[in-house]
Amino acid sequence: MMSQRARTARAVVIAFAAGSLVLTACSKNEGGKSNTDSKKDQKEAAVQSKAVTYGDETASAGPAKELAGAKSGGTITVYQEAGISHLDPGQIYVSDAGQVANLLFRRLTQFSEDDKGNVSVVGDLATDSGKSSDGGKTWTYTLRDGVKDQNGNAITSADVRHTIERLYAKFIFDGPTYLQSWLSGPDYRKALPDGGFGSKHLPDSVLDTPDDKTVVLHFDSPRPDLPQTLAMAGYAIVPKKTDTKEKYDKAPVATGPYKIAENKAGKSVKLVKNTNWDAKTDPVRHQYVDGFDFQFGVTESTQTKRLIADQGSNKTAIQFTGGVEATQIQDVVSNPEVNKRTVKGYQPYVMQLSFNLDRVKDKKVREAVTYAVNSKSLIAGEGGVYGGDVAPNYFAPTLPGYEEKYDPYGRLKTPQGNIAKAKEILKDVPDSEKTLVFAYGSTEAGQKRKVAIEDALSKVGLKVVAKEIDSASYYEQIGKLSNPYDIYITGWGQDWPSPGTVITPIYDGSQVTDGGSNYAHVKDPKVDALIKKALTQEPTEAAATWKEAQHYLLENVIPAAPLWYTKSFQLFGSQVGGARYSSVSSLIDMTRLYVKP
């Protein structure tokens, strides 16, 4: 899904941020009750693996169902420690930017969630989730009437074409690549080097826009997941008339219910109502509040203190992608009045310590580190049982194909790390290979992780050289092929319920590019062959192939040490209405919030 940031990691998503589909029992309630029983939590998380339904025109009709008791007016303050990574939709593949995108941007399709946590894909800019033909190789979308951008310009098929084609440009490097590679292959940039900004465009045999209202996508193989793919924030519409290329990241044009009124990079972002957004055309979003005031640089401990106190403007404030600070969790759960102002749920992210295989070439070092890392200590820094559970492998409990007992490194029996085993593996490794440069984010959580990693690895005779990275650009920095780091913590969750949205984006050799999500730089012929095989199989048949791929990666390649599965535990003020855990973003649902009188 995307990388996770609250991370911690990129979602992603997204949830990925995207978005990831996390259907947990906890998500049904505005406050909800969080389980401290990990086994029970994981069983509830597994609900997400059920199929997502595709909505027709009736299901996709606007406006969104009104919330009982919802009021208009007021401003919600949004607390976040790190700044937003990107605002250009094509660059969005991280949970924080994905959350903002739900307010600012519309795409062809969108995820819709009912009060029971059931998720479907409906038409957003399109009238439905899409019509397939030719055995799933061709998909046709019809655009709604009455959809305009913030400047009052009607959204047409030309804008959709432009949105897709600009993804081929070199300045777009940090977003999802599913659609581009499906349309034009793994070397898709060669098909349209200038991203459609010149006279050349994708041929009608690939992307056809026969009139202002129709978009036809042609693939060389069936793409049954396309409606879910197009619902990702990374495929939101960029109007052709106002695209400023690289500068678009600073001042994008809105198509959703809110637009950017002020953007002070790394400090604050103010959103106000987009008066050209028409609720009748939108089946998912609401526009209850007058605006959102994003404040960056506010640590999770400060956020938590303010929201527990619930005074003044904090009554109308929320946590964005961060959560309750670990040392204050008991202050929250022990106070019924505060605890009812929380959203809790199992996220799809697997946090792992990724190895840069271009630098950490000795498999024994990677194996020793995987035995040595202390998941127990890391999880304590996230809030203990409220923050996560030990991860024995690369698949989260929310993912179809999750193997609860697949634990090749004994993580479940020795969550604090197997020091003796790690030392044994390292005994013949030369001292010159025992120094590791560790990159960590400039947040409170990043500092805690740094201490835990240094402590665990030093116990087995490894020297850790820690390097701090600005959290807002964390994934951008470790996403550079020539990055100067050996190890870094990353998080990934599925983009939709399929192991293919985990294995493919982070282990496919074609993703070893600047800005790619293959952070370990895995280029393995067997892995690539298994991915190619699974992508041509039906889901039930592909399950065995994805399982084989995970086992081979974890046991033979070791691109990363699995650390923990994440949980969301966030606070909001007493005058914030409509708050619930989102099964799509795995965070607080931004699309339905209002201010209580």
Side-chain angles (χ1 to χ4, degrees):
M1 135 169 198
M2 57 173 62
S3 288
Q4 187 242 17
R5 177 182 300 267
R7 204 191 189 36
T8 62
R10 181 163 120 120
V12 198
V13 0
I14 157 342
F16 29 163
S20 50
L21 307 180
V22 191
L23 312 188
T24 72
C26 296
S27 70
K28 296 178 183 177
N29 308 319
E30 290 201 1
K33 59 179 181 178
S34 177
N35 294 313
T36 55
D37 182 336
S38 294
K39 296 290 185 184
K40 186 175 180 181
D41 278 355
Q42 291 188 12
K43 287 181 179 179
E44 291 179 344
V47 174
Q48 127 166 352
S49 63
K50 64 182 179 180
V52 172
T53 58
Y54 291 171
D56 58 13
E57 288 190 26
T58 299
S60 304
K65 182 181 178 181
E66 292 293 335
L67 301 183
K71 306 292 183 182
S72 294
T75 297
I76 288 181
T77 299
V78 183
Y79 291 133
Q80 178 79 342
E81 188 164 0
I84 300 299
S85 52
H86 289 292
L87 289 172
D88 182 330
Q91 301 276 51
I92 294 177
Y93 210 169
V94 179
S95 54
D96 57 358
Q99 281 279 76
V100 177
N102 289 331
L103 301 173
L104 294 175
F105 310 123
R106 298 180 68 176
R107 37 271 212 192
L108 284 174
T109 62
Q110 178 60 289
F111 291 108
S112 177
E113 179 180 357
D114 66 18
D115 293 334
K116 296 180 179 180
N118 298 304
V119 174
S120 61
V121 178
V122 297
D124 188 358
L125 291 175
T127 56
D128 58 23
S129 58
K131 293 181 174 62
S132 65
S133 57
D134 190 25
K137 294 180 181 180
T138 298
W139 285 83
T140 301
Y141 288 91
T142 302
L143 301 185
R144 297 178 187 272
D145 293 326
V147 179
K148 300 177 181 178
D149 66 18
Q150 70 180 56
N151 299 313
N153 298 315
I155 299 298
T156 71
S157 62
D159 296 306
V160 179
R161 174 180 284 277
H162 175 73
T163 297
I164 294 172
E165 291 184 340
R166 74 191 296 273
L167 299 173
Y168 289 63
K170 289 183 178 180
F171 71 86
I172 300 292
F173 57 86
D174 225 9
T177 61
Y178 293 108
L179 182 59
Q180 308 93 293
S181 59
W182 289 353
L183 288 171
S184 304
D187 294 327
Y188 64 87
R189 292 191 195 275
K190 293 180 180 179
L192 197 64
D194 65 358
F197 288 95
S199 59
K200 186 179 179 182
H201 297 279
L202 292 175
D204 291 346
S205 58
V206 173
L207 172 61
D208 192 11
T209 49
D211 56 54
D212 285 348
K213 292 289 186 181
T214 307
V215 177
V216 186
L217 297 160
H218 299 281
F219 305 98
D220 59 6
S221 59
R223 297 298 178 185
D225 292 340
L226 183 66
Q228 297 179 77
T229 310
L230 293 175
M232 296 174 69
Y235 296 121
I237 295 301
V238 174
K240 183 178 180 180
K241 293 180 181 178
T242 47
D243 190 349
T244 53
K245 298 184 179 181
E246 291 89 344
K247 296 179 181 179
Y248 198 74
D249 224 350
K250 304 298 182 185
V253 173
T255 50
Y258 294 90
K259 64 182 180 180
I260 298 172
E262 181 181 272
N263 178 17
K264 296 181 179 179
K267 296 182 179 180
S268 64
V269 171
K270 294 184 185 298
L271 305 186
V272 297
K273 285 185 175 182
N274 173 11
T275 56
N276 278 302
W277 173 81
D278 185 349
K280 296 191 296 293
T281 71
D282 198 322
V284 177
R285 303 169 187 81
H286 296 282
Q287 196 188 49
Y288 292 128
V289 300
D290 292 333
F292 293 86
D293 182 3
F294 288 78
Q295 297 183 12
F296 306 125
V298 184
T299 64
E300 288 191 345
S301 56
T302 299
Q303 295 173 28
T304 306
K305 288 175 184 176
R306 290 179 180 178
L307 290 167
I308 288 176
D310 195 44
Q311 299 294 314
S313 61
N314 291 306
K315 292 183 178 181
T316 56
I318 64 171
Q319 290 186 299
F320 191 49
T321 64
V324 175
E325 195 269 326
T327 64
Q328 299 177 72
I329 284 178
Q330 286 305 315
D331 295 333
V332 174
V333 299
S334 63
N335 186 327
E337 289 302 308
V338 177
N339 194 40
K340 72 180 182 181
R341 295 190 283 107
T342 60
V343 287
K344 312 180 183 80
Y346 218 118
Q347 296 184 312
Y349 303 111
V350 180
M351 303 307 298
Q352 46 201 22
L353 184 64
S354 291
F355 301 103
N356 181 340
L357 298 186
D358 292 334
R359 293 170 59 97
V360 189
K361 297 181 179 180
D362 191 331
K363 182 184 173 184
K364 286 185 178 181
V365 174
R366 304 198 298 273
E367 185 179 11
V369 169
T370 303
Y371 276 110
V373 285
N374 188 334
S375 290
K376 187 176 181 179
S377 176
L378 286 161
I379 292 170
E382 302 296 315
V385 291
Y386 290 95
D389 293 328
V390 176
N393 57 63
Y394 298 148
F395 284 1
T398 56
L399 190 69
Y402 169 64
E403 298 174 83
E404 179 183 351
K405 297 180 180 179
Y406 177 51
D407 185 16
Y409 296 93
R411 307 294 302 148
L412 299 175
K413 291 182 179 180
T414 55
Q416 73 282 5
N418 189 332
I419 303 303
K421 181 69 173 178
K423 284 184 175 180
E424 179 187 340
I425 294 168
L426 287 172
K427 65 183 180 181
D428 295 324
V429 173
D431 290 342
S432 60
E433 296 183 26
K434 290 183 179 180
T435 298
L436 297 172
V437 180
F438 171 58
Y440 66 97
S442 58
T443 61
E444 288 182 329
Q447 291 288 342
K448 292 176 183 177
R449 292 168 190 171
K450 166 184 172 288
V451 172
I453 294 298
E454 284 179 328
D455 180 65
L457 300 191
S458 65
K459 287 179 179 178
V460 300
L462 292 168
K463 179 183 178 181
V464 176
V465 178
K467 299 289 186 180
E468 185 178 83
I469 299 178
D470 175 59
S471 287
S473 62
Y474 181 81
Y475 279 93
E476 185 175 338
Q477 295 302 314
I478 66 172
K480 294 179 180 178
L481 287 183
S482 59
N483 79 71
Y485 314 114
D486 297 311
I487 53 177
Y488 24 77
I489 290 179
T490 62
W492 194 268
Q494 69 252 30
D495 290 311
W496 56 86
S498 167
T501 67
V502 173
I503 296 293
T504 306
I506 55 178
Y507 298 124
D508 188 334
S510 68
Q511 295 298 318
V512 182
T513 61
D514 277 329
S517 46
N518 187 334
Y519 300 113
H521 306 168
V522 176
K523 281 189 175 182
D524 189 287
K526 182 170 182 178
V527 174
D528 291 344
L530 288 170
I531 290 173
K532 185 175 181 180
K533 177 182 178 182
L535 292 176
T536 62
Q537 297 173 314
E538 289 300 314
T540 51
E541 185 181 15
T545 307
W546 292 125
K547 176 181 177 180
E548 182 182 355
Q550 183 194 197
H551 285 223
Y552 175 77
L553 280 160
L554 188 51
E555 296 170 34
N556 297 290
V557 181
I558 321 180
L563 299 174
W564 77 93
Y565 302 132
T566 66
K567 295 178 182 178
S568 179
F569 187 30
Q570 298 180 289
L571 262 176
F572 58 91
S574 60
Q575 286 183 251
V576 175
R580 71 172 181 183
Y581 180 78
S582 168
S583 296
V584 175
S585 69
S586 68
L587 295 161
I588 190 170
D589 190 337
M590 298 293 292
T591 64
R592 44 182 275 140
L593 300 179
Y594 63 91
V595 173
K596 298 177 182 178

